[in-house]
Amino acid sequence: MQTNRRTSKRQSTMGLLSSMWDGESACIGVVEDVSATGIKVSQIPSRFDKYCQECFSVVHGPLQDFKIILHPSWKLETRKEMYQLIGFEVVNPAANWKEFIAATFANSKQK
């Protein structure tokens, strides 16, 4: 995996969870920040396969859930290697994901 080379503007999130499946095991992670093309998730158990080519995620939003396919871009071991922080690229983001991100950015600018 490569180092963190973000190109899209990121928006920090509060209270979003991601149910993730790597093809063999499922887990829940905490969404730290999002963009139209990426997502950073923390508190992912170390058993999650950080080297999988793609994984499936359901991001649980305040009004709706978003089903997205992710490609791991970078990872960082945390808490004595019990958990991982992983940056993912969102593969072919759906229109509703892009609308959610645009609304998230708009709401943060109003505050």
Side-chain angles (χ1 to χ4, degrees), residues 22 25-28 44-50 81-82 84:
D22 64 7
S25 64
C27 68
I28 294 178
I44 300 172
S46 60
R47 73 178 185 279
F48 186 83
D49 184 5
K50 58 205 158 263
E81 299 182 6
M82 290 177 55
Q84 305 172 74

Side-chain angles (χ1 to χ4, degrees), residues 31-51:
V31 177
E32 297 285 328
D33 65 34
V34 295
S35 75
T37 59
I39 184 170
K40 179 171 73 171
V41 184
S42 67
Q43 302 297 314
I44 300 172
S46 60
R47 73 178 185 279
F48 186 83
D49 184 5
K50 58 205 158 263
Y51 300 110

